[in-house]
Amino acid sequence: MKTLLKRAALFLALPTSVLANLSLPASADSTAGIILSTRCQGDHNINIWQNSTSGELLYRATSPYGNLSLGRGTSQATEGVRVYRFRNKSYEYWVWDGTLDNPQSGTFEVYKNNRILLQQTCTKI
C-alpha cells in the first residue's frame, strides 16, 4: 500500500512541478523595474530589469532551452545604441537595445570565451 501511495504522489507531483517550471515566466524581484523587454528569433524572450535600490541590472530570459536569470550586468552606450552585458562562467550575453536603423529592433548575442555562438534579431515588446 505504501508503494502505491508513493507512486501516486510521484505521478501527481512530477507533471505538476514540470508544468509549473515551464509555464512560469522569468521575473525579477519586487524591488526591480523592467527597462527592456524583447522577443527574439528562436522564441527567446529577454527582459532586462534594474533594481530600484541598488541599481543592479538583472537579466531574465525564457526560451525553449529553459530559463536563465543573471545579475550584475553592465550597461554601456555604444555608437548611440545601449548594450547590456551579463556573464555566466565562460559565457557572455549581450542584449542590444535598438539599432542605428531601427530603435524598435535589437540584437541578442551569446559569446563563449570571446567567440560568438549565437546572434539573433529581436523586437521590443
Side-chain angles (χ1 to χ4, degrees):
M1 185 68 176
K2 267 187 172 176
T3 305
L4 183 61
L5 286 174
K6 285 182 184 178
R7 285 186 183 169
L10 181 62
F11 179 74
L12 292 173
L14 188 59
T16 304
S17 66
V18 169
L19 286 173
N21 285 325
L22 292 176
S23 63
L24 292 174
S27 61
D29 62 52
S30 62
T31 62
I34 194 162
I35 57 175
L36 177 64
S37 183
T38 64
R39 179 167 288 129
C40 305
Q41 294 171 322
D43 290 330
H44 284 86
N45 294 313
I46 301 169
N47 295 314
I48 307 295
W49 300 77
Q50 186 168 29
N51 185 299
S52 57
T53 54
S54 69
E56 179 183 16
L57 293 174
L58 309 168
Y59 171 96
R60 305 291 186 251
T62 59
S63 77
Y65 308 107
N67 300 340
L68 180 61
S69 298
L70 300 171
R72 299 189 194 141
T74 62
S75 171
Q76 179 180 355
T78 305
E79 298 178 13
V81 177
R82 183 151 302 277
V83 61
Y84 299 95
R85 297 180 186 175
F86 298 86
R87 180 179 291 278
N88 184 18
K89 298 179 185 174
S90 58
Y91 291 91
E92 280 192 44
Y93 301 86
W94 293 23
V95 182
W96 295 84
D97 184 2
T99 65
L100 293 175
D101 297 333
N102 185 355
Q104 290 302 311
S105 142
T107 306
F108 170 57
E109 299 172 339
V110 179
Y111 295 85
K112 182 177 183 183
N113 298 324
N114 296 321
R115 299 184 78 174
I116 192 160
L117 297 178
L118 176 73
Q119 184 176 42
Q120 297 179 338
T121 58
C122 305
T123 304
K124 289 183 186 181
I125 51 175

